Amino acid sequence: NAGVTQTPKFRILKIGQSMTLQCTQDMNHNYMYWYRQDPGMGLKLIYYSVGAGITDKGEVPNGYNVSRSTTEDFPLRLELAAPSQTSVYFCASSYSRGSYEQYFGPGTRLTVT
Amino acid sequence: DAKTTQPPSMDCAEGRAANLPCNHSTISGNEYVYWYRQIHSQGPQYIIHGLKNNETNEMASLIITEDRKSSTLILPHATLRDTAVYYCIVRVATRDDKIIFGKGTRLHILP
């Protein structure tokens, strides 16, 4: 199994541009998550999904959108990029909630200038 | 989720056991103790979790005190690759099941 994969690894955006961060997992996990991590800080939850067709907001959803059309994929869309969205983005998945561990992808490092 | 307290940094000699403490004095009965680590520039990695009993897997051991107010993660034979930030997290299943990462302990393995 590849686990959780993310593309791209790095990206530089200009202010106002849009992009989609891709996330795919091959573990047949129901739950998927998007976090962002600012330098020296912990992770903050942006959006999460409990299954295909179901998404919900986390702590910091403004400026982002998600969709979950399949179990495997959970893309994160940035519309009108702003410098405040400069961060490292991690996608994660888990089999279910509660006493199940989350598996994280390698991250996407995004810079908005 | 219960608040956790960890030392900001620790050193350990390569080949020795690394013992990372965590205080969670306000933990409630249905909250699990989890440990994750984050090696520089990588995504967080799950290590181990437990509720009441001590747990061991191929990576580490988790010792939880009888009153559950503190725990210790033990890496039995630390290597240079274990240099990372280690996060102690206590949580119960919630609607969004997010993980709240604090500042963790930065563990330096010394050659």
Side-chain angles (χ1 to χ4, degrees), chain A:
Chain A
N1 287 349
V4 180
T5 57
Q6 292 182 238
T7 56
K9 285 189 170 59
F10 304 94
R11 183 72 186 268
I12 298 174
L13 283 182
K14 293 189 186 305
I15 294 171
Q17 286 185 319
S18 301
M19 75 165 293
T20 299
L21 282 66
Q22 301 292 345
C23 175
T24 300
Q25 54 90 10
D26 62 359
M27 297 173 282
N28 202 31
H29 284 169
N30 298 323
Y31 281 63
M32 296 188 74
Y33 315 83
W34 275 105
Y35 294 89
R36 59 176 286 173
Q37 186 175 32
D38 298 333
M41 306 295 286
L43 278 73
K44 293 188 177 179
L45 183 67
I46 305 171
Y47 271 94
Y48 68 101
S49 169
V50 303
I54 306 170
T55 63
D56 209 342
K57 297 177 181 178
E59 302 170 86
V60 289
N62 291 344
Y64 307 95
N65 279 299
V66 293
S67 59
R68 183 98 182 268
S69 57
T70 67
T71 300
E72 295 78 20
D73 300 306
F74 190 40
L76 177 72
R77 177 85 178 159
L78 277 73
E79 306 282 2
L80 299 174
S84 61
Q85 293 177 304
T86 293
S87 190
V88 182
Y89 292 84
F90 291 104
C91 179
S93 72
S94 67
Y95 176 69
S96 184
R97 69 181 186 190
S99 63
Y100 291 93
E101 60 266 33
Q102 292 188 9
Y103 293 85
F104 285 79
T108 293
R109 189 175 297 273
L110 176 68
T111 301
V112 182
T113 61

Side-chain angles (χ1 to χ4, degrees), chain A residues 37 48 56 98-100 102, chain B residues 34 36 38 91 95-97:
Chain A
Q37 186 175 32
Y48 68 101
D56 209 342
S99 63
Y100 291 93
Q102 292 188 9
Chain B
Y34 283 79
Y36 283 77
Q38 190 171 21
R91 67 184 182 114
R95 182 167 168 268
D96 60 22
D97 209 39

Side-chain angles (χ1 to χ4, degrees), chain A residues 101-104, chain B residues 6 20 33-39 44-50 55-62 72-76 82 84-89 101 105 107:
Chain A
E101 60 266 33
Q102 292 188 9
Y103 293 85
F104 285 79
Chain B
Q6 298 178 252
L20 291 90
V33 180
Y34 283 79
W35 284 83
Y36 283 77
R37 74 179 182 184
Q38 190 171 21
I39 296 170
Q45 178 188 22
Y46 165 82
I47 301 172
I48 199 167
H49 75 279
E55 302 287 345
T56 295
N57 63 20
E58 64 279 4
M59 287 183 68
S61 295
L62 173 60
T72 301
L73 177 75
I74 302 172
L75 307 178
D82 292 321
V85 178
Y86 287 76
Y87 297 98
C88 170
I89 298 151
F101 287 81
T105 296
L107 177 66

Side-chain angles (χ1 to χ4, degrees), chain B residues 8 16 21 44 46 49 51 54-55 61 71 80 83 87 100 105:
Chain B
R16 304 296 294 270
Y46 165 82
H49 75 279
L51 183 63
N54 299 337
E55 302 287 345
S61 295
S71 60
L80 296 177
T83 293
Y87 297 98
I100 299 175
T105 296

